Amino acid sequence: MVTAAVIVAAGRGTRAGGDVPKQYADLNGKAVLAHTVAAFANHPAVDHVQVVIHRDDEMAFARACADTAILPPVPGGETRQESVMAGLSALEVHSPQYVLIHDAARPFVDAGTIDRVIGALGQSDGAIPALPVADTLKRAENGHISDTVDRTGLWAAQTPQGFRYDAIMASHAKARDAGRNDLTDDAAVAEWSDLRVAIVDGSAENRKLTTSADIEEAQRRMNTGNAANQTDIRVGHGYDVHAFEPGNHVILCGVKVPHEAKLKGHSDADVGLHALTDAIFGALGDGDIGQHFPPSDPQWKGAASDIFLKAAGAEVAKRSGAIANVDVTLVCEAPKIGPHAQAMRASVAKILDLSMDRISVKATTSEQLGFTGRREGIAAYATATIRLPL
Ligand code: MG
C-alpha cells in the first residue's frame, strides 16, 4: 500500500498580512509549512510528501524545508483545483493507492487524524476529518439576520482529505474538463463526481491559520506547551574584562557610549555582551565564547559582538529551550552607565528576541579600588537562566 500526501502551499495568503505568505510565516522558529510537512513526513503510513508551491516561493520553500526528505516541490496553478491537480499528477510515477490532500496552513494536524482518514479509505472512495458545527448559524442580509439555519447534520470540513488516488485523479480531471473551477475543497470535487466520501472525527487543534492573529495565537499556544515541558532549569555565569586604550567611545551591551578612551580587543570589545554570551554558553554546558569564536580567527576582528550573543541564543533555541532572564553588571568608574542602561536593555532584548522584562543591565563602581577603580578598564559579570526540555 503506497500512501502519498499533497500539501497545497501555492496560495498567496494575503489575509494573514505581513510580507510573506502565511505558510512561510514564522511559528516557533520554523515556517508554518515546515511544521505541516513534518506531520506527514514523520507519519509512518505516509510514503511520499509532495508540496505544491507558488512559483515565486522557491527560495522560501528551500529555506523552510531544507532539513526534510520530501519530493521536490512542483509549481501550482491559478486556482486551488489546478494546484491540487499539479500535485496529484506529480505523484503518478509513484503509483500511490491513497492520497491525502492537505492545507499548508494547518500545521497542527495530528497523527490520529491522519490515521482515521486513511483508515476510512478501506470502505469509501474518500474520507475527510470534520467537526460538528457547534455554533448556531445565522444567515444575514445587509447586516441583519434573515434566517436561522438548522445545523442538524452540518459539519465543518478540515484536511487532510483522503482519497483513493485513481478516483480523485479522475474526478479532478473530469471537473477540469467540465470547466468547474469553483469547487472549494477536494471533497467538493469528489462529491461533484459522485464519489462516496466518509466523515471521520476531526480535531479542534487542526485549525487553519488564516490571519496574523491566528498565527500569534498559535505561537502563544506553542509557548505555553513548550514552557510546560521546559523543566530543566539552568543558570550560567560569565565574566569578562577589557582594558582601555586611546579612543573616544566604548561599546557596552551593543550601545555606543562616548568616553575618553575605548576598550581594547579583537572584536568590538563589548565586555557586557561577552560576559553575557559566556553566561549562556555556561548554562548550556557548552564551553565559552573563545571556543565558539576563537580570537585567532581573523573573521571576528572588529566584529560587532551581537553576533556572538545571537549565536548563543540560537544554541538555546536549537535545543528547544528558552532564556528565562539575563542579568548583566558592568563595573567601572566611568563612563556613567545609568543614562544608557535602558538602551542597553533594549539592545540585549532585540539581539535575543526577548521582552525587556527578562533583561537587566546595571552598573557599579569598585570604590576606586583595583584596576576598574584605577580606570584601567571595565569588568562585566553576567548570569543567564535558561529552561530546557528535560
Ligand atoms: Mg571579551
Side-chain angles (χ1 to χ4, degrees), residues 126-306:
I128 72 164
L131 293 176
V133 174
D135 297 324
T136 297
L137 296 178
K138 303 291 183 189
R139 182 173 287 116
E141 280 160 30
N142 304 322
H144 288 81
I145 294 168
S146 61
D147 193 11
T148 296
V149 180
D150 180 6
R151 68 178 182 220
T152 313
L154 290 185
W155 295 77
Q158 300 185 330
T159 71
Q161 302 193 339
F163 303 93
R164 295 184 182 165
Y165 176 79
D166 293 341
I168 194 66
M169 189 71 181
S171 298
H172 264 281
K174 193 170 146 196
R176 178 195 58 202
D177 296 345
R180 287 298 299 266
N181 57 10
D182 57 328
L183 301 164
T184 53
D185 70 355
D186 302 288
V189 175
E191 293 152 45
W192 177 78
S193 63
D194 293 325
L195 297 187
R196 275 174 57 80
V197 182
I199 281 184
V200 301
D201 286 339
S203 152
E205 299 289 302
N206 183 23
R207 70 194 81 177
K208 190 170 181 176
L209 306 184
T210 304
T211 64
S212 50
D214 294 339
I215 292 171
E216 284 163 25
E217 165 61 19
Q219 181 65 62
R220 271 195 297 279
R221 282 194 294 134
M222 290 189 92
N223 289 347
T224 312
N226 288 347
N229 296 324
Q230 289 163 339
T231 54
D232 185 7
I233 310 294
R234 312 281 196 90
V235 176
H237 174 255
Y239 174 66
D240 195 30
V241 173
H242 281 265
F244 286 128
E245 65 179 7
N248 59 19
H249 71 272
V250 293
I251 309 282
L252 294 171
C253 294
V255 175
K256 185 174 173 178
V257 179
H259 189 51
E260 64 200 19
K262 73 189 269 282
L263 289 171
K264 184 176 168 185
H266 188 69
S267 64
D268 65 0
D270 189 330
V271 64
L273 292 192
H274 293 182
L276 180 50
T277 303
D278 261 352
I280 295 171
F281 283 135
L284 289 167
D286 189 14
D288 62 25
I289 189 169
Q291 278 168 260
H292 287 266
F293 306 98
S296 55
D297 188 334
Q299 68 169 308
W300 312 123
K301 186 167 171 49
S305 296
D306 54 355

